[in-house]
Amino acid sequence: MAQRKPPRRTRERIVETALGLFNRLGEPHVTTADIADELNISPGNLYYHFRNKDDIIGELYAALEAHIAPLLAVPPDRAPGIEDLWLLLHLLFERMREYRFFYRDLDEIMSRNRKIALRFAALNRRGESTMLELCRGLAATGAMRASEREMAALATNAVMVATYWMSWQRIIAPATHGAEDARLGHAAYQVLGLIAPFLVGDARALVERLGGDYVQ
């Protein structure tokens, strides 16, 4: 007989419910009272676990950071290839989709919560560093032809496009239900497209082939 899973704790249910509401309605449009109503618990019960909405957002951001940080690494025992960058972008956008409210409402959240703002800035700097190391690895194997300055600019621009992709997608497809869930491959290709002009040989051919698969 299969063992029954233990019931989720109230704190876990609050975080999970808040994430769903934030993703669906937008963080600025959801109050702690809305979260309590959705869970059918009293506001006092919610406040026992979280002092305010920003505390809930802080816990959600910590989970997002824990998912993304391990992705920001280069292969430790070999030269990186364009496939490593493609996989990184795919996994990154999958994680971003799970916590899409954060990216859609980024400026609003950052303006209220300096602690999260500082942590997110540090995470982005780590992302830039990883992207730069990947570009350097590609250049070292002859798959990329770019100067150090060009690679640094590419790293910054790649992180910038990835960070604001969710907002851009909502702008160009505002009436499409679940638009943030769709076309992760297209999102990854848009970032990779910044690097494509600097690629040569098989790496350039792979990006062009991927473009045919994902950009319709």
Side-chain angles (χ1 to χ4, degrees):
M1 182 176 180
Q3 189 175 17
R4 296 180 62 183
K5 293 182 179 179
R8 289 172 300 160
R9 297 181 302 164
T10 300
R11 184 182 181 89
E12 294 170 347
R13 293 173 59 224
I14 291 170
V15 172
E16 180 181 303
T17 300
L19 177 59
L21 290 174
F22 292 163
N23 281 343
R24 188 168 76 248
L25 303 176
E27 180 274 329
H29 305 294
V30 177
T31 66
T32 52
D34 295 326
I35 299 169
D37 285 345
E38 186 77 6
L39 282 165
N40 196 29
I41 63 175
S42 69
N45 194 349
L46 186 147
Y47 291 133
Y48 174 80
H49 297 280
F50 296 98
R51 294 173 301 171
N52 50 46
K53 188 169 71 167
D54 272 357
D55 278 359
I56 300 175
I57 294 171
E59 184 133 333
L60 286 168
Y61 175 74
L64 169 63
E65 190 179 78
H67 280 110
I68 288 180
L71 303 178
L72 304 179
V74 297
D77 53 357
R78 59 176 175 80
I82 197 66
E83 297 88 351
D84 295 303
L85 181 52
W86 182 246
L87 178 60
L88 166 62
L89 291 171
H90 262 279
L91 295 176
L92 177 64
F93 279 111
E94 286 178 2
R95 301 298 178 265
M96 291 170 63
R97 178 183 59 181
E98 293 175 26
Y99 298 87
R100 55 192 174 274
F101 82 92
F102 182 80
Y103 293 91
R104 293 186 314 187
D105 302 317
L106 185 61
D107 292 340
E108 171 73 18
I109 295 170
M110 296 295 99
S111 67
R112 292 199 322 258
N113 196 315
R114 177 168 172 76
K115 183 176 180 180
I116 291 180
L118 291 173
R119 289 177 62 178
F120 187 63
L123 185 67
N124 276 349
R125 287 193 295 271
R126 182 173 171 183
E128 287 186 47
S129 178
T130 299
M131 186 66 66
L132 180 56
E133 288 303 313
L134 286 169
C135 287
R136 285 171 174 163
L138 291 170
T141 61
M144 171 182 274
R145 293 175 183 166
S147 68
E148 183 70 15
R149 179 178 294 180
E150 287 170 331
M151 289 188 290
L154 284 171
T156 298
N157 290 339
V159 173
M160 188 187 313
V161 171
T163 299
Y164 287 98
W165 173 259
M166 297 292 179
S167 294
W168 170 250
Q169 191 175 50
R170 185 170 57 170
I171 290 170
I172 63 174
T176 304
H177 178 69
E180 298 88 347
D181 292 340
R183 306 182 71 187
L184 293 183
H186 179 73
Y189 176 76
Q190 288 299 121
V191 177
L192 204 59
L194 297 170
I195 300 170
F198 298 90
L199 299 176
V200 296
D202 292 341
R204 179 66 178 269
L206 175 59
V207 172
E208 290 177 353
R209 186 165 66 252
L210 291 171
D213 292 340
Y214 286 99
V215 182
Q216 304 296 332

